[in-house]
Amino acid sequence: MNWNPVLPVLEQSRRTPDRLALFADGVELSYGELARRAARLAAALGEQGIGRGSRVGILGSRSLIAVEAVLGVAWCGATYVPLGLRWPEDRINTVVSLTKLDALIADRSGAALLTADMLANIRILALPADAPAEIPPGSAERVVIRVDGHDGSESPHASAPFPEPAEMSANDQVYVIFTSGTTGVPKGVMVASASLATYLAALGARKAMTPDDRASHFTELSFDPSVGEIFLPLYVGASLHVLPALSTVSPARFIRDRQLTVWGSAPAAIAWLRDTRSLQPGSLPTLRYSSFGGEPLPLASVRAWQAAAPNSVVDNLYGPTEATVDCAGQRVEPGATPVVTPERGVLAIGTPHPGSELA
């Protein structure tokens, strides 16, 4: 059985090729366009021997090319390894060394961070078509792949047939995300395709997402909530809307402009909105589902969000990276009173997802 996580995306592209799939960097892509871009990247990587068992770093986040890279790497059956744009250079070099990357993909922001040390053993490098021509030295045999332009333009071969996604077993790794670990040393958490499928099924049940939804992509690629943010909307035929860097500090206008119905972020986003007086009662009427995770969710923040988004569920999600993003949550219906952890003033973590247990 083929467990490749991009198969639902391919199926969506065949059922509804013209439906909006992605908004990023000011560009809108349909399902047909997004599938072609991901498949072409997969084909280019495959020509260089990248496939099942390969590990491909992605130095980028919240960009059209970063989303394309996640899908393209999975499409050729390889494992993606996100590298944080805000990580110190020595941490990036450590992760590159630990994972023994077979290739590296960078978006425009990532391309500006490339160094000779980082690329010392990288043989295959994929960069935006408009990235600087000068590349730090590295492997003498390096192959440079140019990814489609930042403006979303299609190549002359856009209508050409593209390859089917590579077959992956249930145990093949989809991604490796690094945490600091208890010692402060980066620790890679490897997540297999079957684990991702189980998680997305549980998350899909919580969000009840439909093709009419317009969902946010707020989280950095190097943090695991980005996995559900990217894959789940594309599984159901909804559209994914990537927040520009400037909108992450105060995203209320982006939510309204893009008429988002599904939101996800850390609770700190609520504090930012309150501090900038952007979280006014009734100011986010299009939202129907909002999830928060990664840190405790204060009751005061929930009340403020419920007032601003009166039609939205508030879901407090909890889980370590090792449990495939999150494994439990407390779902609060619009206007309902949440369960609070005694004497802490924050929401309790709630109950486990189906198939998970809390001990």
Side-chain angles (χ1 to χ4, degrees), residues 196-254:
L196 177 58
T198 299
Y199 168 67
L200 290 174
L203 190 66
R206 296 189 77 89
K207 295 190 177 185
M209 202 175 289
T210 74
D212 293 328
D213 277 313
R214 301 168 67 86
S216 66
H217 174 25
F218 176 91
T219 309
E220 292 283 348
L221 203 64
S222 55
F223 290 99
D224 58 354
S226 64
V227 176
E229 288 181 355
I230 291 173
F231 279 106
L232 185 58
L234 301 179
Y235 270 34
V236 302
S239 57
L240 179 65
H241 300 255
V242 182
L243 272 79
L246 293 177
S247 294
T248 59
V249 176
S250 187
R253 181 173 179 178
F254 185 85

Side-chain angles (χ1 to χ4, degrees), residues 8-32:
V9 181
L10 174 61
E11 292 166 2
Q12 290 294 342
S13 76
R14 289 171 171 167
R15 285 199 298 267
T16 58
D18 298 324
R19 179 183 286 274
L20 177 63
L22 176 68
F23 173 79
D25 301 331
V27 175
E28 291 188 345
L29 292 182
S30 69
Y31 271 92

